[in-house]
């Protein structure tokens, strides 16, 4: 079976632009989470989605939004890009247990976003 | 907000030496997970601990979850060059957010 896939692998944008990142979970996984990882730091939790609904949200501004589709794939959208949004964006899929209980997460290779 | 700190931030060891990283959370965790991230790679799940005081072993790796469920440790016996990478602890809070620790970067010198 294929692992978690993300697209694109790399992206260069300028300040003020908008970006959409995509993620396909492992077959059978219904939960997708998004993380931002700045170089040299640990991943920062952005969102968790399950059954097309947001189940958890990290401390990120409203410029960040996401959605999950009926096939459990997901998109992360970031509006009005800032230089500080430059990071590796990771998607992780998992078997959803219940709210507040995170199961083993399988990460994709990430999308490297550079904002100029 | 919740903080999950790890020490040390960096560790260089000779191949064959032991290695330990410590994880401390500012709040109680319902469970704790450990991930390994190789340079240029993505985090890979190692293990999950749920019970207070739990100890689990995977070959040369030993994981512990503290009695108060606020701290954890990962110990590697007789490190190998394949152990190189950054080790993160991580866990959920009561607000359904998931926090990663600051990470410990391990370098193994052959």
């Amino acid at each position: 079976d294929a692992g978690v896939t993300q697209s694109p692998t790399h992206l260069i944008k300028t300040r003020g632009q908008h970006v959409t990142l995509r993620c396909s979970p492992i077959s059978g996984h219904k939960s997708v989470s998004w993380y931002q990882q700045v170089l040299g730091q640990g991943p920062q939790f952005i969102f968790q989605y399950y059954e097309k609904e947001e189940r958890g949200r990290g401390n990120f501004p409203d410029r960040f939004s996401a959605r999950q589709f009926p096939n459990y794939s997901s998109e992360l959208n970031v509006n009005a890009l800032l230089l500080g949004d430059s990071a590796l964006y990771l998607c992780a899929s998992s078997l959803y247990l219940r709210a507040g209980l995170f199961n083993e997460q399988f990460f994709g290779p990430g999308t490297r976003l550079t904002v100029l | 907000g919740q903080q999950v700190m790890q020490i040390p931030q960096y560790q260089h060891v000779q191949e064959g030496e032991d290695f330990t990283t410590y994880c401390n959370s500012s709040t109680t965790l319902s469970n704790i997970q450990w991930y390994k991230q190789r340079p240029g790679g993505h985090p890979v799940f190692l293990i999950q601990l749920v019970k207070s005081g739990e100890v689990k072993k995977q070959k040369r790796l030993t994981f512990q979850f503290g009695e108060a469920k606020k701290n954890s440790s990962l110990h590697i016996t007789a490190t190998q060059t394949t152990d190189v990478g950054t080790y993160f602890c991580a866990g959920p809070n009561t607000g359904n957010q998931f926090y990663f620790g600051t990470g410990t970067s391990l370098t193994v010198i052959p």
Side-chain angles (χ1 to χ4, degrees):
Chain A
D1 283 342
V4 177
T5 59
Q6 292 186 245
S7 63
T9 54
H10 295 84
L11 203 52
I12 299 175
K13 292 284 189 178
T14 56
R15 282 179 297 175
Q17 285 190 312
H18 161 271
V19 69
T20 296
L21 310 181
R22 295 176 175 83
C23 171
S24 291
I26 290 172
S27 177
H29 285 186
K30 299 182 179 181
S31 177
V32 169
S33 296
W34 286 95
Y35 294 84
Q36 180 196 66
Q37 187 174 28
V38 174
L39 195 63
Q41 298 182 15
Q44 299 293 313
F45 176 75
I46 309 176
F47 290 111
Q48 184 195 36
Y49 273 78
Y50 172 69
E51 290 290 1
K52 298 179 289 181
E53 289 188 11
E54 181 185 303
R55 303 289 178 157
R57 184 184 185 108
N59 300 320
F60 280 80
D62 292 342
R63 299 185 295 109
F64 289 77
S65 64
R67 55 179 177 167
Q68 187 177 32
F69 300 100
N71 66 353
Y72 304 110
S73 67
S74 178
E75 283 182 355
L76 175 70
N77 296 284
V78 187
N79 293 324
L81 285 168
L82 303 174
L83 296 179
D85 294 331
S86 294
L88 179 68
Y89 287 85
L90 294 162
C91 170
S93 77
S94 65
L95 295 170
Y96 186 82
L97 298 178
R98 59 174 172 80
L101 192 63
F102 284 76
N103 206 358
E104 172 183 357
Q105 297 182 77
F106 295 81
F107 283 82
T111 294
R112 174 72 61 187
L113 173 64
T114 301
V115 182
L116 302 176
Chain B
Q2 179 173 352
Q3 291 187 333
V4 184
M5 306 297 293
Q6 287 182 250
I7 55 170
Q9 186 177 1
Y10 302 97
Q11 184 78 61
H12 292 68
V13 299
Q14 290 287 142
E15 189 173 16
E17 291 183 337
D18 292 356
F19 159 78
T20 304
T21 172
Y22 299 92
C23 170
N24 288 284
S25 171
S26 58
T27 60
T28 300
L29 300 170
S30 58
N31 63 75
I32 196 155
Q33 299 176 4
W34 283 90
Y35 290 82
K36 176 184 178 181
Q37 186 172 23
R38 288 202 164 98
H42 56 271
V44 174
F45 176 84
L46 295 176
I47 207 161
Q48 177 169 283
L49 304 169
V50 179
K51 298 177 182 177
S52 169
E54 188 171 12
V55 177
K56 285 189 176 180
K57 293 189 176 184
Q58 286 181 349
K59 298 183 180 178
R60 295 178 296 106
L61 279 60
T62 302
F63 304 85
Q64 290 187 320
F65 198 11
E67 293 291 340
K69 301 185 81 173
K70 294 179 70 174
N71 56 72
S72 181
S73 65
L74 159 60
H75 179 81
I76 302 178
T77 303
T79 54
Q80 300 174 359
T81 55
T82 53
D83 295 327
V84 166
T86 300
Y87 292 85
F88 293 101
C89 62
N93 68 0
T94 54
N96 203 33
Q97 298 171 321
F98 197 76
Y99 286 88
F100 274 77
T102 49
T104 296
S105 176
L106 173 63
T107 300
V108 180
I109 305 164

PDB file of all heavy atoms in Angstrom, chain A residues 9-10 19 26 28 35 41 45-46 48 53-54 59 62 65-66 70 72 77 80-83 91-92 97:
ATOM      1  N   THR A   9       5.890  18.940  -3.816  1.00  0.00           N
ATOM      2  CA  THR A   9       7.002  18.680  -2.900  1.00  0.00           C
ATOM      3  C   THR A   9       7.691  19.977  -2.513  1.00  0.00           C
ATOM      4  O   THR A   9       8.161  20.129  -1.380  1.00  0.00           O
ATOM      5  CB  THR A   9       8.030  17.729  -3.529  1.00  0.00           C
ATOM      6  OG1 THR A   9       8.420  18.264  -4.790  1.00  0.00           O
ATOM      7  CG2 THR A   9       7.428  16.356  -3.742  1.00  0.00           C
ATOM      8  N   HIS A  10       7.763  20.891  -3.460  1.00  0.00           N
ATOM      9  CA  HIS A  10       8.362  22.195  -3.198  1.00  0.00           C
ATOM     10  C   HIS A  10       7.486  23.275  -3.825  1.00  0.00           C
ATOM     11  O   HIS A  10       6.828  23.035  -4.845  1.00  0.00           O
ATOM     12  CB  HIS A  10       9.773  22.307  -3.805  1.00  0.00           C
ATOM     13  CG  HIS A  10      10.764  21.384  -3.195  1.00  0.00           C
ATOM     14  ND1 HIS A  10      10.910  20.073  -3.584  1.00  0.00           N
ATOM     15  CD2 HIS A  10      11.667  21.590  -2.202  1.00  0.00           C
ATOM     16  CE1 HIS A  10      11.859  19.512  -2.869  1.00  0.00           C
ATOM     17  NE2 HIS A  10      12.333  20.398  -2.021  1.00  0.00           N
ATOM     18  N   VAL A  19      -1.697  29.901  -0.945  1.00  0.00           N
ATOM     19  CA  VAL A  19      -1.165  28.599  -1.317  1.00  0.00           C
ATOM     20  C   VAL A  19      -2.125  27.492  -0.873  1.00  0.00           C
ATOM     21  O   VAL A  19      -2.813  27.627   0.145  1.00  0.00           O
ATOM     22  CB  VAL A  19       0.234  28.386  -0.692  1.00  0.00           C
ATOM     23  CG1 VAL A  19       0.150  28.242   0.823  1.00  0.00           C
ATOM     24  CG2 VAL A  19       0.919  27.167  -1.299  1.00  0.00           C
ATOM     25  N   ILE A  26      -3.142   7.330   4.033  1.00  0.00           N
ATOM     26  CA  ILE A  26      -3.041   5.891   3.814  1.00  0.00           C
ATOM     27  C   ILE A  26      -4.457   5.328   3.684  1.00  0.00           C
ATOM     28  O   ILE A  26      -5.377   5.742   4.397  1.00  0.00           O
ATOM     29  CB  ILE A  26      -2.300   5.228   4.985  1.00  0.00           C
ATOM     30  CG1 ILE A  26      -0.821   5.630   4.954  1.00  0.00           C
ATOM     31  CG2 ILE A  26      -2.443   3.714   4.962  1.00  0.00           C
ATOM     32  CD1 ILE A  26      -0.029   5.185   6.170  1.00  0.00           C
ATOM     33  N   GLY A  28      -7.687   3.557   4.226  1.00  0.00           N
ATOM     34  CA  GLY A  28      -8.289   3.082   5.469  1.00  0.00           C
ATOM     35  C   GLY A  28      -8.175   4.058   6.617  1.00  0.00           C
ATOM     36  O   GLY A  28      -8.867   3.913   7.636  1.00  0.00           O
ATOM     37  N   TYR A  35       0.789  19.753  10.077  1.00  0.00           N
ATOM     38  CA  TYR A  35       1.806  20.319  10.953  1.00  0.00           C
ATOM     39  C   TYR A  35       2.696  21.260  10.151  1.00  0.00           C
ATOM     40  O   TYR A  35       2.923  21.052   8.957  1.00  0.00           O
ATOM     41  CB  TYR A  35       2.694  19.223  11.547  1.00  0.00           C
ATOM     42  CG  TYR A  35       1.977  18.288  12.487  1.00  0.00           C
ATOM     43  CD1 TYR A  35       1.268  17.198  11.987  1.00  0.00           C
ATOM     44  CD2 TYR A  35       2.008  18.492  13.866  1.00  0.00           C
ATOM     45  CE1 TYR A  35       0.602  16.334  12.849  1.00  0.00           C
ATOM     46  CE2 TYR A  35       1.348  17.638  14.730  1.00  0.00           C
ATOM     47  CZ  TYR A  35       0.647  16.561  14.217  1.00  0.00           C
ATOM     48  OH  TYR A  35      -0.007  15.717  15.068  1.00  0.00           O
ATOM     49  N   GLN A  41      13.257  23.002  14.382  1.00  0.00           N
ATOM     50  CA  GLN A  41      12.250  22.911  15.444  1.00  0.00           C
ATOM     51  C   GLN A  41      11.384  21.676  15.255  1.00  0.00           C
ATOM     52  O   GLN A  41      11.405  21.026  14.217  1.00  0.00           O
ATOM     53  CB  GLN A  41      11.379  24.164  15.444  1.00  0.00           C
ATOM     54  CG  GLN A  41      12.138  25.449  15.729  1.00  0.00           C
ATOM     55  CD  GLN A  41      11.223  26.652  15.768  1.00  0.00           C
ATOM     56  OE1 GLN A  41       9.996  26.529  15.862  1.00  0.00           O
ATOM     57  NE2 GLN A  41      11.794  27.835  15.686  1.00  0.00           N
ATOM     58  N   PHE A  45       1.467  21.643  15.577  1.00  0.00           N
ATOM     59  CA  PHE A  45       0.137  21.172  15.186  1.00  0.00           C
ATOM     60  C   PHE A  45      -0.709  22.312  14.645  1.00  0.00           C
ATOM     61  O   PHE A  45      -0.836  23.360  15.296  1.00  0.00           O
ATOM     62  CB  PHE A  45      -0.530  20.548  16.412  1.00  0.00           C
ATOM     63  CG  PHE A  45      -1.948  20.101  16.217  1.00  0.00           C
ATOM     64  CD1 PHE A  45      -2.232  18.952  15.510  1.00  0.00           C
ATOM     65  CD2 PHE A  45      -2.993  20.826  16.765  1.00  0.00           C
ATOM     66  CE1 PHE A  45      -3.539  18.523  15.354  1.00  0.00           C
ATOM     67  CE2 PHE A  45      -4.298  20.411  16.615  1.00  0.00           C
ATOM     68  CZ  PHE A  45      -4.585  19.255  15.912  1.00  0.00           C
ATOM     69  N   ILE A  46      -1.292  22.102  13.457  1.00  0.00           N
ATOM     70  CA  ILE A  46      -2.160  23.123  12.865  1.00  0.00           C
ATOM     71  C   ILE A  46      -3.629  22.692  12.974  1.00  0.00           C
ATOM     72  O   ILE A  46      -4.466  23.408  13.505  1.00  0.00           O
ATOM     73  CB  ILE A  46      -1.807  23.397  11.386  1.00  0.00           C
ATOM     74  CG1 ILE A  46      -0.322  23.671  11.208  1.00  0.00           C
ATOM     75  CG2 ILE A  46      -2.626  24.582  10.870  1.00  0.00           C
ATOM     76  CD1 ILE A  46       0.101  23.845   9.748  1.00  0.00           C
ATOM     77  N   GLN A  48      -6.476  18.980  12.964  1.00  0.00           N
ATOM     78  CA  GLN A  48      -6.816  17.589  12.762  1.00  0.00           C
ATOM     79  C   GLN A  48      -8.226  17.524  12.178  1.00  0.00           C
ATOM     80  O   GLN A  48      -9.129  18.214  12.651  1.00  0.00           O
ATOM     81  CB  GLN A  48      -6.782  16.767  14.056  1.00  0.00           C
ATOM     82  CG  GLN A  48      -7.057  15.284  13.784  1.00  0.00           C
ATOM     83  CD  GLN A  48      -7.403  14.501  15.041  1.00  0.00           C
ATOM     84  OE1 GLN A  48      -8.062  15.005  15.951  1.00  0.00           O
ATOM     85  NE2 GLN A  48      -6.954  13.252  15.101  1.00  0.00           N
ATOM     86  N   GLU A  53     -14.741  16.861   9.284  1.00  0.00           N
ATOM     87  CA  GLU A  53     -14.940  17.884  10.303  1.00  0.00           C
ATOM     88  C   GLU A  53     -13.630  18.178  11.035  1.00  0.00           C
ATOM     89  O   GLU A  53     -12.827  17.274  11.285  1.00  0.00           O
ATOM     90  CB  GLU A  53     -15.987  17.441  11.318  1.00  0.00           C
ATOM     91  CG  GLU A  53     -17.397  17.421  10.766  1.00  0.00           C
ATOM     92  CD  GLU A  53     -18.420  17.172  11.858  1.00  0.00           C
ATOM     93  OE1 GLU A  53     -18.049  17.235  13.047  1.00  0.00           O
ATOM     94  OE2 GLU A  53     -19.588  16.917  11.518  1.00  0.00           O
ATOM     95  N   GLU A  54     -13.450  19.436  11.393  1.00  0.00           N
ATOM     96  CA  GLU A  54     -12.291  19.812  12.179  1.00  0.00           C
ATOM     97  C   GLU A  54     -12.465  19.287  13.600  1.00  0.00           C
ATOM     98  O   GLU A  54     -13.455  19.569  14.276  1.00  0.00           O
ATOM     99  CB  GLU A  54     -12.146  21.342  12.192  1.00  0.00           C
ATOM    100  CG  GLU A  54     -10.955  21.844  12.975  1.00  0.00           C
ATOM    101  CD  GLU A  54     -10.930  23.360  13.049  1.00  0.00           C
ATOM    102  OE1 GLU A  54     -10.930  24.017  11.989  1.00  0.00           O
ATOM    103  OE2 GLU A  54     -10.934  23.892  14.182  1.00  0.00           O
ATOM    104  N   ASN A  59      -2.543  26.677  17.517  1.00  0.00           N
ATOM    105  CA  ASN A  59      -2.510  28.130  17.692  1.00  0.00           C
ATOM    106  C   ASN A  59      -1.973  28.830  16.452  1.00  0.00           C
ATOM    107  O   ASN A  59      -0.886  29.404  16.453  1.00  0.00           O
ATOM    108  CB  ASN A  59      -1.667  28.481  18.922  1.00  0.00           C
ATOM    109  CG  ASN A  59      -2.231  27.868  20.184  1.00  0.00           C
ATOM    110  OD1 ASN A  59      -3.436  27.842  20.386  1.00  0.00           O
ATOM    111  ND2 ASN A  59      -1.349  27.344  21.031  1.00  0.00           N
ATOM    112  N   ASP A  62      -6.118  32.827  11.546  1.00  0.00           N
ATOM    113  CA  ASP A  62      -7.211  32.445  10.647  1.00  0.00           C
ATOM    114  C   ASP A  62      -6.790  32.389   9.190  1.00  0.00           C
ATOM    115  O   ASP A  62      -7.566  31.922   8.342  1.00  0.00           O
ATOM    116  CB  ASP A  62      -8.375  33.422  10.817  1.00  0.00           C
ATOM    117  CG  ASP A  62      -9.033  33.291  12.171  1.00  0.00           C
ATOM    118  OD1 ASP A  62      -8.818  32.248  12.822  1.00  0.00           O
ATOM    119  OD2 ASP A  62      -9.748  34.225  12.579  1.00  0.00           O
ATOM    120  N   SER A  65      -6.381  27.577   6.925  1.00  0.00           N
ATOM    121  CA  SER A  65      -7.636  26.836   6.923  1.00  0.00           C
ATOM    122  C   SER A  65      -7.413  25.498   6.232  1.00  0.00           C
ATOM    123  O   SER A  65      -6.414  25.306   5.534  1.00  0.00           O
ATOM    124  CB  SER A  65      -8.745  27.619   6.204  1.00  0.00           C
ATOM    125  OG  SER A  65      -8.414  27.793   4.828  1.00  0.00           O
ATOM    126  N   ALA A  66      -8.323  24.589   6.450  1.00  0.00           N
ATOM    127  CA  ALA A  66      -8.171  23.268   5.833  1.00  0.00           C
ATOM    128  C   ALA A  66      -9.549  22.680   5.594  1.00  0.00           C
ATOM    129  O   ALA A  66     -10.560  23.178   6.098  1.00  0.00           O
ATOM    130  CB  ALA A  66      -7.341  22.351   6.725  1.00  0.00           C
ATOM    131  N   PRO A  70     -14.643  13.759   0.910  1.00  0.00           N
ATOM    132  CA  PRO A  70     -15.274  12.460   1.183  1.00  0.00           C
ATOM    133  C   PRO A  70     -14.314  11.277   1.047  1.00  0.00           C
ATOM    134  O   PRO A  70     -14.513  10.240   1.686  1.00  0.00           O
ATOM    135  CB  PRO A  70     -16.402  12.389   0.156  1.00  0.00           C
ATOM    136  CG  PRO A  70     -16.759  13.820  -0.073  1.00  0.00           C
ATOM    137  CD  PRO A  70     -15.452  14.573  -0.005  1.00  0.00           C
ATOM    138  N   TYR A  72     -11.359  11.298   2.113  1.00  0.00           N
ATOM    139  CA  TYR A  72     -10.469  11.516   3.256  1.00  0.00           C
ATOM    140  C   TYR A  72      -9.188  12.260   2.900  1.00  0.00           C
ATOM    141  O   TYR A  72      -8.389  12.529   3.806  1.00  0.00           O
ATOM    142  CB  TYR A  72     -10.150  10.204   3.981  1.00  0.00           C
ATOM    143  CG  TYR A  72     -11.390   9.487   4.415  1.00  0.00           C
ATOM    144  CD1 TYR A  72     -11.779   8.299   3.800  1.00  0.00           C
ATOM    145  CD2 TYR A  72     -12.200  10.020   5.412  1.00  0.00           C
ATOM    146  CE1 TYR A  72     -12.948   7.656   4.177  1.00  0.00           C
ATOM    147  CE2 TYR A  72     -13.377   9.376   5.795  1.00  0.00           C
ATOM    148  CZ  TYR A  72     -13.746   8.199   5.173  1.00  0.00           C
ATOM    149  OH  TYR A  72     -14.904   7.563   5.542  1.00  0.00           O
ATOM    150  N   ASN A  77      -4.909  25.367   3.265  1.00  0.00           N
ATOM    151  CA  ASN A  77      -4.838  26.648   2.582  1.00  0.00           C
ATOM    152  C   ASN A  77      -4.242  27.701   3.514  1.00  0.00           C
ATOM    153  O   ASN A  77      -4.590  27.762   4.696  1.00  0.00           O
ATOM    154  CB  ASN A  77      -6.241  27.102   2.157  1.00  0.00           C
ATOM    155  CG  ASN A  77      -6.856  26.165   1.145  1.00  0.00           C
ATOM    156  OD1 ASN A  77      -6.510  26.175  -0.030  1.00  0.00           O
ATOM    157  ND2 ASN A  77      -7.764  25.311   1.609  1.00  0.00           N
ATOM    158  N   ALA A  80      -2.652  35.211   2.358  1.00  0.00           N
ATOM    159  CA  ALA A  80      -1.822  36.365   2.730  1.00  0.00           C
ATOM    160  C   ALA A  80      -0.485  35.923   3.310  1.00  0.00           C
ATOM    161  O   ALA A  80      -0.143  36.252   4.453  1.00  0.00           O
ATOM    162  CB  ALA A  80      -2.583  37.250   3.708  1.00  0.00           C
ATOM    163  N   LEU A  81       0.262  35.168   2.533  1.00  0.00           N
ATOM    164  CA  LEU A  81       1.515  34.569   3.003  1.00  0.00           C
ATOM    165  C   LEU A  81       2.485  35.603   3.555  1.00  0.00           C
ATOM    166  O   LEU A  81       2.637  36.710   3.012  1.00  0.00           O
ATOM    167  CB  LEU A  81       2.174  33.801   1.855  1.00  0.00           C
ATOM    168  CG  LEU A  81       1.532  32.455   1.501  1.00  0.00           C
ATOM    169  CD1 LEU A  81       2.076  31.949   0.178  1.00  0.00           C
ATOM    170  CD2 LEU A  81       1.755  31.445   2.617  1.00  0.00           C
ATOM    171  N   LEU A  82       3.134  35.208   4.645  1.00  0.00           N
ATOM    172  CA  LEU A  82       4.182  36.005   5.269  1.00  0.00           C
ATOM    173  C   LEU A  82       5.499  35.266   5.141  1.00  0.00           C
ATOM    174  O   LEU A  82       5.524  34.046   4.963  1.00  0.00           O
ATOM    175  CB  LEU A  82       3.864  36.225   6.753  1.00  0.00           C
ATOM    176  CG  LEU A  82       2.526  36.887   7.088  1.00  0.00           C
ATOM    177  CD1 LEU A  82       2.310  36.885   8.589  1.00  0.00           C
ATOM    178  CD2 LEU A  82       2.466  38.293   6.523  1.00  0.00           C
ATOM    179  N   LEU A  83       6.589  36.018   5.275  1.00  0.00           N
ATOM    180  CA  LEU A  83       7.901  35.378   5.209  1.00  0.00           C
ATOM    181  C   LEU A  83       8.019  34.261   6.240  1.00  0.00           C
ATOM    182  O   LEU A  83       8.618  33.213   5.978  1.00  0.00           O
ATOM    183  CB  LEU A  83       9.006  36.416   5.434  1.00  0.00           C
ATOM    184  CG  LEU A  83       9.139  37.519   4.392  1.00  0.00           C
ATOM    185  CD1 LEU A  83      10.267  38.476   4.777  1.00  0.00           C
ATOM    186  CD2 LEU A  83       9.397  36.940   3.006  1.00  0.00           C
ATOM    187  N   CYS A  91       1.840  16.447   6.539  1.00  0.00           N
ATOM    188  CA  CYS A  91       0.515  15.861   6.700  1.00  0.00           C
ATOM    189  C   CYS A  91       0.710  14.492   7.337  1.00  0.00           C
ATOM    190  O   CYS A  91       1.660  13.775   7.001  1.00  0.00           O
ATOM    191  CB  CYS A  91      -0.158  15.739   5.333  1.00  0.00           C
ATOM    192  SG  CYS A  91      -1.680  14.788   5.337  1.00  0.00           S
ATOM    193  N   ALA A  92      -0.175  14.132   8.236  1.00  0.00           N
ATOM    194  CA  ALA A  92      -0.105  12.823   8.881  1.00  0.00           C
ATOM    195  C   ALA A  92      -1.484  12.189   8.878  1.00  0.00           C
ATOM    196  O   ALA A  92      -2.484  12.871   9.106  1.00  0.00           O
ATOM    197  CB  ALA A  92       0.406  12.938  10.312  1.00  0.00           C
ATOM    198  N   LEU A  97      -9.458   7.466  16.849  1.00  0.00           N
ATOM    199  CA  LEU A  97     -10.059   6.750  17.961  1.00  0.00           C
ATOM    200  C   LEU A  97     -11.212   7.561  18.563  1.00  0.00           C
ATOM    201  O   LEU A  97     -12.355   7.150  18.543  1.00  0.00           O
ATOM    202  CB  LEU A  97      -8.990   6.438  19.013  1.00  0.00           C
ATOM    203  CG  LEU A  97      -7.864   5.526  18.516  1.00  0.00           C
ATOM    204  CD1 LEU A  97      -6.832   5.305  19.603  1.00  0.00           C
ATOM    205  CD2 LEU A  97      -8.409   4.204  18.009  1.00  0.00           C
TER     206      LEU A  97
END
